[in-house]
Amino acid sequence: MKLLHYNMYHKLKYTLAVCLLLMSIVANAQVTVQSPYSKFGVGNIKGSMLPQFRAMGGISTAVYKPSFFNNINIQNPASYAGINATTLDIGMSGNITELKNSTQTENSFNATLSHVALAFPVSKKSALSFGILPYSELGYNFKNTLKVGTTTANTKTVDYKYNGEGGLTKAYLGYGIQFEDHFRVGANAEYLFGNLSENRSTEYVNDPGSINSRMQTKNSVGGVSFSYGAQYDFRLDNKTSLVLGYSGSSSSKINLKNSQVVTQYFNDASGNEQTALDTLLLVENSPTNLKLPLIHNFGISIQKDNKWMVGADYRMGKWSNLSIDNVNQGLQDTYGFSVGGQFTPDVSAINGYFKRVDYRLGFQYDKTYIQMNNQDIKQMAVTFGFGLPLASYSRGTFYKMNLTAELGKRGTVSNGLLQEKYINIHLGFVLNDSSWFQRFRFD
């Protein structure tokens, strides 16, 4: 009689409990970004890449399985078909950001738990994956100070203050399957949720008698979208293959509840805000929608199994169609590319730890969806990282730590604009356990 491994149930129960706990932490994590550019759209888009893919410039569309070790490639769910062991990936991230204009510089540091993802095989040629990770981050606080008035006598100084916080989180459930020997397809059902809260105030400086005003807007998002992908590989020889890939996200309408409050208030002589004088507008949880853009990704990679891989991605998004509460956000269509790869000297080396390390390097460039002062805001980064194997505690169980750094910049200080320079650090811990679904026979 054949029985499932006696320990499988206990491992599954324990792992699922840990995943649910960590998913709850990720879902309720406080936004840690400080970026004036996050004011546009739904915030800074984070993407669906785990640290091992970010280290290669973000290539993922045509990345299948460079080595025996399983990784969860959320960006292209067709790749799930190659997962042959239960795979758990948990990570965190931190960033150091320098904001700079022509006269000032400001630095900040933030860190947070970033993702939890689990995948396991369903059959020899298919696998299921689910998890949670950030979709976008919103966080900014700045002001513009202007002089208003028609004559010197009635000129007043006005502060226009802007601040926002929040972001969207993505929980996904995906499936990938392989047909015959070379063709794979997959799809993710994704639930986006979160809050986008923004305030805009007009305050008269050193003028206690003037009436100030503030508009507070909160958009609460919760709805389903879909992403999908396909891959086809050509075997060039017994160990080398060429992979072509495509992935995309549908143009979905997500449920949204919009709340708005417009108030008037005074500041005292010290500049402290007093109790609201009047409420001019109050809208609570008005049902509407968030319309997401259609996104396409194309990729190519060539790899020698368990040795090296190089690849490139090209992406474009119809962000000019993004609307919130049926209002077009005035964004630009995007495009970008990534190139990168990894190299492992000797994956089976018994002596010499660093021969078993994955060494990764990449570069990425994007024209973002932001345009200011008739100038496109562009972003680029150099990326690198390591896949560090950890000790295995039982047969069929492998551990790896993925460490990644992104050194990049967005925008420019010319033309009265703002430049962001950043160092993003990503850390992920990956478990491969092939013993969960093994069968054993009692003698």
Side-chain angles (χ1 to χ4, degrees), residues 42-53:
V42 292
N44 290 341
I45 304 299
K46 301 298 293 180
S48 298
M49 288 167 289
L50 303 188
Q52 51 269 50
F53 302 99

Side-chain angles (χ1 to χ4, degrees), residues 90-394:
I90 300 172
M92 60 191 73
S93 63
N95 64 81
I96 302 170
T97 304
E98 177 190 83
L99 301 176
K100 182 180 181 181
N101 60 19
S102 58
T103 59
Q104 294 179 310
T105 300
E106 180 180 304
N107 297 296
S108 64
F109 170 78
N110 300 286
T112 184
L113 184 67
S114 60
H115 68 271
V116 180
L118 178 69
F120 53 87
V122 176
S123 67
K124 289 184 178 180
K125 293 186 177 182
S126 69
L128 189 72
S129 179
F130 65 91
I132 190 168
L133 64 164
Y135 178 83
S136 71
E137 292 181 336
L138 175 68
Y140 62 88
N141 188 354
F142 63 93
K143 69 178 180 180
N144 291 328
T145 301
L146 299 175
K147 300 286 187 179
V148 297
T150 56
T151 65
T152 303
N154 65 7
T155 296
K156 294 184 178 182
T157 302
V158 181
D159 281 343
Y160 296 94
K161 296 182 177 181
Y162 306 86
N163 65 78
E165 62 179 8
L168 302 182
T169 300
K170 176 168 71 178
Y172 77 93
L173 173 64
Y175 179 74
I177 185 170
Q178 178 170 311
F179 297 96
E180 300 299 333
D181 295 326
H182 303 283
F183 181 60
R184 298 172 291 277
V185 296
N188 291 322
E190 303 167 345
Y191 184 76
L192 295 182
F193 62 97
N195 297 307
L196 305 172
S197 300
E198 299 183 84
N199 300 324
R200 183 176 64 192
S201 304
T202 301
E203 294 188 355
Y204 291 88
V205 181
N206 300 322
D207 192 352
S210 296
I211 298 176
N212 306 314
S213 63
R214 174 179 296 119
M215 173 180 283
Q216 299 171 280
T217 302
K218 180 179 179 181
N219 291 310
S220 299
V221 177
V224 177
S225 64
F226 298 93
S227 61
Y228 35 79
Q231 292 181 335
Y232 192 93
D233 66 79
F234 303 86
R235 297 302 297 187
L236 303 181
D237 59 37
N238 289 337
K239 292 186 176 181
T240 309
S241 61
L242 174 71
V243 183
L244 301 178
Y246 167 80
S247 65
S249 298
S250 62
S251 177
S252 305
K253 282 191 175 182
I254 307 296
N255 293 330
L256 182 149
K257 292 183 178 180
N258 175 263
S259 299
Q260 294 184 46
V261 180
V262 179
T263 56
Q264 292 182 322
Y265 59 95
F266 291 115
N267 284 349
D268 62 22
S270 300
N272 299 314
E273 182 177 328
Q274 303 301 296
T275 303
L277 175 67
D278 193 12
T279 300
L280 303 182
L281 175 68
L282 177 61
V283 177
E284 292 185 309
N285 296 322
S286 174
T288 179
N289 62 73
L290 162 67
K291 184 180 179 182
L292 294 176
L294 179 66
I295 295 174
H296 300 291
N297 305 288
F298 304 91
I300 184 172
S301 72
I302 184 170
Q303 67 183 53
K304 185 173 182 179
D305 297 345
N306 296 315
K307 193 68 174 180
W308 54 262
M309 180 194 67
V310 293
D313 275 19
Y314 178 80
R315 52 191 167 269
M316 53 187 181
K318 197 68 176 176
W319 286 94
S320 60
N321 289 340
L322 179 76
S323 66
I324 300 176
D325 192 19
N326 295 312
V327 177
N328 186 279
Q329 297 300 294
L331 304 181
Q332 307 295 306
D333 291 338
T334 64
Y335 65 82
F337 68 87
S338 298
V339 292
Q342 76 171 33
F343 173 70
T344 310
D346 186 354
V347 71
S348 59
I350 298 176
N351 297 318
Y353 173 81
F354 292 101
K355 292 181 180 180
R356 294 184 286 118
V357 172
D358 301 322
Y359 298 90
R360 301 172 177 133
L361 183 67
F363 174 79
Q364 62 184 36
Y365 170 90
D366 287 278
K367 183 186 83 71
T368 72
Y369 54 50
I370 303 170
Q371 186 182 78
M372 298 181 67
N373 298 341
N374 295 316
Q375 184 168 332
D376 293 331
I377 303 300
K378 299 174 182 178
Q379 180 172 333
M380 62 186 69
V382 174
T383 67
F384 61 92
F386 308 95
L388 305 170
L390 304 177
S392 298
Y393 296 104
S394 62

